[in-house]
Amino acid sequence: MTVVELDPSGPSWSASSDVPRPITVRRGFGDRVFRGLAVAAGATTFVVMGLIGLFLAVESWEALQVAGAGFFTDSAWLPTDDPPVFGIAALLYWTVVIAVIALVLAVPVAIGTALFINEYSPRWLRGSLTGLVDLLAAVPSLVYGMWGFYFLQPRLIGLSSWMADHLAFVPVFEVRTDKFASSAFVAGVVVSLMVVPIVTSVVREVFSQAPQGEKEAALALGGSRWGMIRTVVVPFGRGGIVGGSMLGLGRALGETIAVALIISPVFEISPRILEQGANSIAAHIALRFGEASGVALSALVAAGLALFVVTLVVNSLSTIIVARSRSGQGIEL
Amino acid sequence: MAVSESAIPVRDEVVPEQPSREPATLVASNVSAWFGDRKVLESVGLEMPARTVTALIGPSGCGKSTFIRILNRMHELVPGASLAGSVTLNGIDIYGDELPPTETRLRIGMVFQKPNPFPAMTIAENVLAGLKLSGIKVRDRDALVEECLTKAGLWNEVKDRLKASGGSLSGGQQQRLVIARALAVRPQVLLMDEPCSALDPTSTRRIEETISELQEEVTIVIVTHNMQQAARVSQQCAFFLAAENEPGRIVEAGPTEQIFEAPRDSRTADYVHGRFG
Ligand SMILES: Nc1ncnc2c1ncn2[C@@H]1O[C@H](COP(=O)(O)OP(=O)(O)O)[C@@H](O)[C@H]1O
Ligand SMILES: [Mg+2]
C-alpha cells in the first residue's frame, strides 16, 4: 500500500501565502442602490445628532464664557443682572429629584403591570392590555400635565401632608411650610405616570422572552406561578428592568410641559420634596425661552446642552445594559 | 382506602436525614386529551407500579409527551388544553381537590427532553432550587447537594466547582444536574420525557445507569425513541400509536420482554423491529 503524503497547506497554496486573503463580493445593481439608501438613512441620524450637539455648543458658547465654572455650581438664574449670575446647579438637582421620584414610583408599577399582562391575565385580554399600555405612552404630556394639575394635585395634598406628619424623621419628607402644592413630589407623581408605559413595554418585552423550558422546569418542581416568576422570569429580565428604567429616566429627565405646569420654580437646593417649590432644566427653558435674548438666551441654550448630554449618556447606558444582558439579545430599544 | 397509610410527611418534616418518601403507584384511567378541539389522546389506561421503570414508546406525535405531562398536571398549563379521565397517586386523585397542583408536581417530578438548569444559579443552588421554590427547609444543604448529585451520577465531575453556573456544564451534565434537582425534593415518581435524545452516547449510558440505581426509591416513567434503551432500562412498556387524523391510543402494554419478544399486536412487532416510525 502506498502512503500519500499530503501537503498540509493544500495543493495550490504555497507556505508564503498563509495570510488572510481578501474576499471580493460582487453586488448586483439593485443591491447597491438599496445599500446606498440604507447607509444614507443611517448616517442621517448621526449627522442630525451631531448637528444638534454642535448647534447647542456654538449657541451656548457666549453664556459659558460669561459664567465659567459657575455655570455648574451656581444655583441662581439672573443672566440680566450686572454682573450676570446664573448656573444649573439647582435646576439639575431638581431635575434629577423629580426623575428619581418618578422612577421610584413607576418601576415597581411597570414590573407588576408587565408581569400581570404576561403571566396572569387571560389570553384574550393580553393583546388589548398591551395595546392600552402603548396607547398610554402616546398620550401627549400636556394632557398628563393638565390632568395632574387640575385633578391629581388637589387629591395628593392629603397624602403629602400625611407623609409630612408621620415620616418627617426622614429629611426628604420634612416640610417648613404648609403649602404642599406645586412640589417636586407632585411633579414626580405626574411624570411617573408618563414613564410607566415606556418602562412597562420594555420590561414586558424582555419578560416575554424568558425561556419556556426554564419556566416549565420551575413549575414542574412544584413551584407556584409566583415562585416561577421569581426564579426564572425576573432574573432573566434583570437587564431589561435596568435598561427599561434608564430609558424611563431619560424620558423623565427631559419631561417639560407637565413639570412646567405643576411646579412653582425655585432656585435653591433643598432636600424637602413635599413642600411647594421645585424646578427642572426642561421646564425652566420652556418658561423662560419666550422672553430671553442675548446672554440670557445663550444661557438657556447652555442649560439645554447640559440636558442633552445627560440624557444622551443615560440612554446610551440603558441600551448597552439591555444589549449585554442575556435577556437583551435580540431586543431593540 | 389505603390513602392514610401512604400519607406523605408534611413539608417541614422533609429533611435529608429522614428516609425518602415511599415510591408510589401511579394509575391513569380513561385518559383523553385535547388541544383546543383536536383530540390527541383517547381512553388511555395504564398502571405504573412502584419500584418499576415504565417505558412509553411509539412514533412521534402519538401523544406520549401529552400523556406524561398529564401525569403531573403540566398539560393544563398549555393554553387551550383539556383532558378527561383520572390519574391517581397511591389512590389519591391528583386532579381532585385533595392535592393542590403544586403539591402534585412536588411529588411527581419531571425531566424534560431539553436540559433546563437555571443559568443564573450555581450548580449547588440548582440542586436546591425545588426546595427553595416550595419553601422547604433543609438542615444540611451540603449533604443533600452531594447526595443528589451522587445519585444523578454527576458528583465526581462537579464536586470541585459547585459554585460554577449551572449553564457552564455540557448538555449531558446539565441533564444529570436537572435529574439531581428533581431528586432533591424527594419525589415519589419521576417522569422523564426523552431525557437522552439530545445527548451523546456516553451521557446516555450514564443516565441509564442512574435510572437503574434510582428504581428502588422512585417510580420512573420514561418516554424514549430508542428501542434498545427501553429494553435496557424498563421492566414494563406501553406502545402508543395514533392512526392518521386520529387520537393516540395505547396499542399494547405489558412486561418489556413480552413487548419486545412476543408482542400480541402486529403493529407493536413492526414498531419494535424498526419497520416503521
Ligand atoms: N402545545 C400544543 N398545541 C397543539 N397541539 C399540540 C401541542 N403539543 C402537542 N400537540 C399535538 O398533539 C399530538 C401529540 O403530541 P405529543 O404528545 O407531543 O407527541 P409525542 O410526544 O408522542 O411525539 C401531536 O399531534 C401534536 O401535534
Ligand atoms: Mg414528545
Side-chain angles (χ1 to χ4, degrees):
Chain A
M1 200 175 94
T2 52
V3 174
V4 181
E5 191 88 8
L6 279 178
D7 177 3
S9 52
S12 60
W13 286 87
S14 63
S16 65
S17 68
D18 188 19
V19 289
R21 58 172 288 187
I23 296 171
T24 46
V25 177
R26 180 188 286 271
R27 292 196 174 84
F29 175 71
D31 195 17
R32 283 207 304 276
V33 169
F34 191 75
R35 194 180 144 87
L37 284 174
V39 168
T44 309
T45 320
F46 283 98
V47 170
V48 168
M49 202 70 171
L51 284 177
I52 292 175
L54 190 67
F55 161 82
L56 290 173
V58 168
E59 292 295 313
S60 59
W61 188 247
E62 184 186 358
L64 290 173
Q65 290 290 72
V66 172
F71 183 73
F72 298 102
T73 52
D74 280 338
S75 296
W77 196 270
L78 304 163
T80 49
D81 275 23
D82 192 22
V85 180
F86 55 87
I88 54 166
L91 294 176
L92 192 58
Y93 169 78
W94 284 113
T95 306
V96 172
V97 168
I98 292 174
V100 167
I101 296 170
L103 280 193
V104 165
L105 298 171
V107 171
V109 173
I111 293 174
T113 311
L115 287 177
F116 174 74
I117 295 177
N118 274 2
E119 306 291 341
Y120 290 98
S121 70
R123 277 188 107 62
W124 54 267
L125 198 60
R126 214 163 281 180
S128 347
L129 282 177
T130 309
L132 198 66
V133 170
D134 292 341
L135 204 65
L136 278 178
V139 174
S141 53
L142 179 68
V143 174
Y144 280 105
M146 290 195 299
W147 184 77
F149 183 80
Y150 288 111
F151 180 86
L152 199 57
Q153 171 155 285
R155 288 162 178 81
L156 275 179
I157 285 174
L159 177 64
S160 289
S161 95
W162 184 89
M163 286 196 287
D165 286 346
H166 294 89
L167 303 170
F169 54 88
V170 189
V172 296
F173 298 128
E174 196 195 327
V175 288
R176 300 210 178 136
T177 90
D178 56 357
K179 298 200 180 79
F180 291 104
S182 306
S183 64
F185 174 67
V186 176
V189 172
V190 174
V191 173
S192 79
L193 299 175
M194 289 176 239
V195 173
V196 165
I198 302 169
V199 185
T200 304
S201 102
V202 174
V203 171
R204 198 193 61 77
E205 178 76 12
V206 173
F207 280 175
S208 69
Q209 315 269 324
Q212 189 63 23
E214 286 168 39
K215 291 167 76 174
E216 289 204 327
L219 294 171
L221 279 170
S224 62
R225 197 158 275 267
W226 171 236
M228 180 272 284
I229 288 170
R230 256 185 7 225
T231 320
V232 177
V233 179
V234 172
F236 177 84
R238 199 162 282 153
I241 295 175
V242 175
S245 305
M246 292 190 71
L247 201 69
L249 180 64
R251 166 95 204 251
L253 289 170
E255 179 44 45
T256 311
I257 194 69
V259 176
L261 282 177
I262 285 166
I263 54 159
S264 90
V266 291
F267 290 92
E268 71 193 59
I269 294 176
S270 108
R272 299 181 298 277
I273 60 168
L274 291 178
E275 67 184 33
Q276 187 169 62
N279 221 326
S280 96
I281 295 181
H284 174 72
I285 296 173
L287 292 171
R288 297 288 183 90
F289 203 72
E291 60 197 39
S293 63
V295 176
L297 184 58
S298 174
L300 290 177
V301 177
L305 178 63
L307 185 61
F308 178 73
V309 172
V310 171
T311 46
L312 206 63
V313 168
V314 168
N315 279 325
S316 310
L317 280 180
S318 72
T319 315
I320 291 170
I321 290 171
V322 172
R324 274 197 177 175
S325 67
R326 181 161 83 102
S327 50
Q329 322 275 300
I331 291 198
E332 295 292 326
L333 279 187
Chain B
M1 242 168 76
V3 176
S4 56
E5 295 165 26
S6 62
I8 283 95
V10 295
R11 286 179 180 189
D12 282 347
E13 292 172 33
V14 182
V15 288
E17 285 80 6
Q18 288 187 315
S20 59
R21 295 170 174 172
E22 284 291 292
T25 297
L26 204 55
V27 180
S29 341
N30 246 326
V31 169
S32 299
W34 295 261
F35 287 106
D37 295 333
R38 191 157 153 253
K39 193 170 191 179
V40 299
L41 271 184
E42 188 166 81
S43 299
V44 173
L46 186 65
E47 180 173 341
M48 290 147 276
R51 298 191 177 80
T52 303
V53 178
T54 302
L56 310 181
I57 58 172
S60 274
C62 64
K64 304 180 298 296
S65 295
T66 307
F67 179 69
I68 205 170
R69 288 167 62 91
I70 286 175
L71 300 180
N72 74 338
R73 301 196 64 165
M74 293 300 286
H75 176 67
E76 68 208 60
L77 298 173
V78 178
S82 53
L83 68 115
S86 77
V87 178
T88 59
L89 177 69
N90 274 354
I92 307 172
D93 183 3
I94 65 166
Y95 285 95
D97 51 15
E98 222 166 317
L99 281 180
T102 49
E103 183 66 33
T104 301
R105 296 187 197 120
L106 197 60
R107 295 184 189 190
I108 308 176
M110 185 157 199
V111 172
F112 298 80
Q113 180 172 357
K114 194 164 161 269
N116 49 14
F118 301 127
M121 295 183 185
T122 66
I123 292 172
E125 284 168 351
N126 259 288
V127 175
L128 299 169
L131 299 149
K132 194 169 163 215
L133 273 165
S134 303
I136 301 172
K137 300 202 172 42
V138 188
R139 247 175 255 153
D140 190 346
R141 290 162 163 262
D142 296 343
L144 182 64
V145 169
E146 177 173 351
E147 180 202 318
C148 295
L149 286 171
T150 307
K151 276 186 196 158
L154 187 60
W155 175 248
N156 285 330
E157 287 158 68
V158 301
K159 63 178 177 227
D160 298 323
R161 48 174 178 146
L162 293 173
K163 292 211 161 64
S165 155
S168 69
L169 300 173
S170 76
Q173 292 174 323
Q174 287 188 7
Q175 194 66 305
R176 280 177 279 151
L177 175 60
V178 166
I179 293 173
R181 179 178 70 187
L183 293 174
V185 295
R186 310 239 183 252
Q188 293 173 291
V189 181
L190 189 59
L191 310 173
M192 305 174 114
D193 191 355
E194 299 187 37
C196 302
S197 63
L199 305 185
D200 59 281
T202 317
S203 301
T204 302
R205 279 283 171 179
R206 195 69 203 76
I207 288 180
E208 286 177 12
E209 284 166 29
T210 303
I211 291 171
S212 305
E213 286 158 19
L214 290 174
Q215 181 174 348
E216 275 310 305
E217 56 186 278
V218 53
T219 309
I220 292 177
V221 182
I222 179 172
V223 175
T224 176
H225 270 136
N226 180 330
M227 290 308 112
Q228 286 85 37
Q229 181 169 68
R232 277 193 300 262
V233 302
S234 73
Q235 290 83 53
Q236 180 184 265
C237 207
F239 173 52
F240 282 68
L241 190 61
E244 209 165 318
N245 291 323
E246 278 194 44
R249 290 183 186 86
I250 289 186
V251 170
E252 187 170 353
T256 302
E257 259 169 47
Q258 181 200 317
I259 297 286
F260 278 85
E261 270 142 41
R264 292 205 192 90
D265 196 293
S266 64
R267 293 168 296 178
T268 316
D270 288 348
Y271 184 76
V272 299
H273 294 121
R275 286 195 279 272
F276 74 93

